[in-house]
Amino acid sequence: MCGIVGAVAQRDVVEILLEGLRRLEYRGYDSAGVAVLDASASEPQLQRLRRLGKVQALADAVAEQGLPGGTGIAHTRWATHGEPSEANAHPHVSGDIAVVHNGIIENHEALRAELQADGYQFQSQTDTEVIAHLVARAVSGGADLLTAVQQVRSRLEGAYGMVAINRQTPERMVVARSGSPLVVGFGIGEHFIASDQLALLPVTRRFAFLEEGDVAEITRQSVRIFDLENQPVEREVRESSVEHDAGDKGEYRHYMLKEIHEQPQAIANTLEGRLLNGQLNLEALGDLSDVDAVQIIACGTSYHAGVTARYWIESLAGISCNVEIASEFRYRRPVIRPNTLLVTISQSGETADTLAALRQAKELGITKTLSICNVPGSSLVRESDMTVLTRAGAEIGVASTKAFTTQLTALLLLTAALAERAADASAVQQRIAKALESLPGLIQQTLSMNDDIERLAEHFADKHNALFLGRGDQYPIAMEGALKLKEISYIHAEAYAAGELKHGPLALIDAEMPIVVVAPHNDLMEKLKSNIEEVRARGGELYVFAEESAAISAAENMIVVPVPACDDVIAPIVYTLPLQLLSYYVAVIKGTDVDQPRNLAKSVTVE
Ligand code: G6P
């Protein structure tokens, strides 16, 4: 979602803040802003600059104007309340107070009315501006900044992370976390705050993660943290293992392409210590011996990983499995069977709907929860009983790639663990182990399809619609392929279970509708071939990804792209790659913003 960076230092901080924003830009990118306090001036000044568009527009403005000062806060925005505009960009200012904020203040309308009645004038349509005025009102009533933020916190409903500075006390910032992550960075004689440690890696590797309800007062010399009851608390300071250059594109034109190519290594990292010399080592996953049913909850791409896992868990482990989109689950009254394991899947571990669904499931009586997550220390990890970290490394491209295939890898490990009580447990586990052992190499081999797919992409660039078809555990892969194409090329794409074609979508088939089929050589192959014929008979243009042994040959209106042969059990992971590459190259030809597609954000920390 939005990104926050702040700093208190002896040196000028604006470049640190801008670099932090660049590193967070993938989270939200419709406008950006910075406010800086210069304590060395005889009369401390609060200077603010905001720009519509990317961080670079803000950096250009800063370069032109200069923005000296050792205390500053900065923000890159993904609009929720109020259109993207300079007036709605953060920081928001009220008198001497400047504020940046992630999340949503749900009672902002009532607070706005109250503040307007009190004479405060609003300059923006945002919910954030109420925080600036509330803090300013508390400070003008005599509170120091820390007390003011603590008082204001009790008035705010919703999920947020916020940072406030005050021109009258220029060498400090006060931050509050409630439902939206914040991390304090420790330097030498300087301190930082950010919504993600990635923003601060150029300046420090030592971090403390704030917990729900924490408020912290940060100066150059000290970090004082208080809990919900305003009692002082300690939060452990840890050395980060995230690589400093995790935010660099390296030799690649886009983060997405870099991350697609990182998949062999990322998957090997997921398997490390969990698959040793062909043997699964699943103890670290936790005790699953009493699990009679599985409920999976996730959003977006992570949801597609969950839908794939349902096929595995039911067919290989023999355990009943439901999968649901988090935003639906949380507002339903689901009936939970006894001994249900709740599995949440999330790249970021901060997706608001997934977190809310986890909490809702606990209230419904689920006692065993496991998260599949890429971010250690994230809210989801902290609130789950067990975690399987995917270890994909930082994913910057908004369209998820390596996070997805590592989630699938982790879910296959989970399937193997759940299969423990199956009659054929050892055969299932051996098969999964063997298939997973071959996986990093197979993925590397699949990447060599790159050039073929780049050429294929030409056929899609001028189309307005596309269909993706798959059967069985390839149906969710078709869904993921369609999502990738929509997200980054803006071509409308739909996925169908191929058996559903005749119940409606066949009416759409004509020469203008490319149809992508994922066709591994499995026991549904003959059925799929019939579906392919149904499309051909109606003049559709087919692009079939299939392994050679499937004996599907190119024909009029049908291009067949060979995919390396693999065990069926890992075919969903292998067939994901060509679809990622296809959407990537279509987007490149169309000239869209591949890494930061319009209207989207990487981590959706609001409802
Ligand atoms: C956003 C991202 C998607 C992601 C989804 C769920 O919509 O753009 O790529 O799949 O959130 O995110 P999570 O971090 O929970 O996996």
Side-chain angles (χ1 to χ4, degrees), residues 117-349:
D118 228 6
Y120 287 90
Q121 288 185 354
F122 280 76
Q123 313 296 328
S124 77
Q125 302 155 308
T126 66
D127 51 340
T128 307
E129 198 178 345
V130 301
I131 309 177
H133 291 313
L134 285 171
V135 174
R137 187 168 70 175
V139 166
S140 64
D144 63 18
L145 189 60
L146 172 65
T147 315
V149 170
Q150 285 169 330
Q151 286 171 1
V152 166
R153 181 184 55 182
S154 64
R155 303 287 322 275
L156 303 178
E157 290 167 19
Y160 56 86
M162 59 160 285
V163 188
I165 53 176
N166 179 1
R167 190 182 68 84
Q168 292 164 25
T169 49
E171 290 188 297
R172 71 191 55 218
M173 48 190 182
V174 173
V175 312
R177 174 193 166 140
S178 179
S180 193
L182 284 175
V183 58
V184 182
F186 289 73
I188 299 169
E190 53 189 17
H191 288 116
F192 309 94
I193 188 81
S195 47
D196 187 321
Q197 55 178 313
L198 207 57
L200 301 176
L201 288 173
V203 283
T204 184
R205 303 194 66 80
R206 295 174 60 229
F207 296 106
F209 293 88
L210 294 185
E211 296 196 2
E212 285 301 288
D214 283 356
V215 171
E217 183 190 56
I218 302 173
T219 69
R220 275 171 49 205
Q221 289 80 21
S222 68
V223 175
R224 295 198 299 149
I225 305 175
F226 303 86
D227 65 11
L228 256 181
E229 274 74 49
N230 298 337
Q231 295 304 309
V233 280
E234 295 287 325
R235 302 288 175 225
E236 190 191 343
V237 181
R238 290 184 236 159
E239 192 83 17
S240 171
S241 56
V242 179
E243 285 168 37
H244 173 240
D245 65 356
D248 290 343
K249 278 198 277 254
E251 67 194 80
Y252 294 96
R253 184 165 163 198
H254 294 101
Y255 286 111
M256 183 178 176
L257 189 62
K258 173 177 178 251
E259 288 157 6
I260 288 174
H261 281 265
E262 281 171 350
Q263 288 176 107
Q265 186 57 51
I267 289 171
N269 292 347
T270 313
L271 293 174
E272 198 184 313
R274 297 163 178 160
L275 177 69
L276 283 170
N277 306 321
Q279 296 294 317
L280 292 169
N281 175 15
L282 303 170
E283 274 157 34
L285 265 61
D287 178 13
L288 302 172
S289 57
D290 58 352
V291 172
D292 293 330
V294 175
Q295 171 70 58
I296 300 180
I297 293 171
C299 303
T301 288
S302 299
Y303 168 71
H304 295 155
V307 181
T308 313
R310 176 173 54 189
Y311 288 89
W312 289 333
I313 291 171
E314 296 208 332
S315 69
L316 297 168
I319 292 180
S320 147
C321 179
N322 274 322
V323 193
E324 191 159 2
I325 294 165
S327 56
E328 286 298 312
F329 181 90
R330 66 181 288 194
Y331 291 116
R332 267 194 331 115
R333 290 189 185 192
V335 176
I336 307 287
R337 296 171 52 176
N339 300 326
T340 292
L341 171 72
L342 182 86
V343 178
T344 50
I345 310 171
S346 172
Q347 188 285 128
S348 61

Side-chain angles (χ1 to χ4, degrees), residues 298-303 345-352 354 372-373 380 395 397-401 403 407 480 483-484 487 600-604:
C299 303
T301 288
S302 299
Y303 168 71
I345 310 171
S346 172
Q347 188 285 128
S348 61
E350 301 295 348
T351 301
T354 308
I372 305 238
C373 189
L380 199 67
E395 189 180 68
V398 165
S400 186
T401 53
Q407 285 168 349
E480 175 59 10
L483 176 64
K484 287 286 87 89
E487 276 180 310
L600 300 181
K602 182 75 185 159
S603 177
V604 183

Side-chain angles (χ1 to χ4, degrees), residues 75-94:
H75 189 267
T76 174
R77 177 169 187 250
W78 184 82
T80 57
H81 292 69
E83 64 192 10
S85 68
E86 199 166 307
N88 287 334
H90 302 213
H92 289 283
V93 169
S94 177

Side-chain angles (χ1 to χ4, degrees), residues 413-425:
L413 290 168
L414 177 66
T415 304
L418 287 168
E420 193 63 47
R421 278 189 297 155
D424 53 352

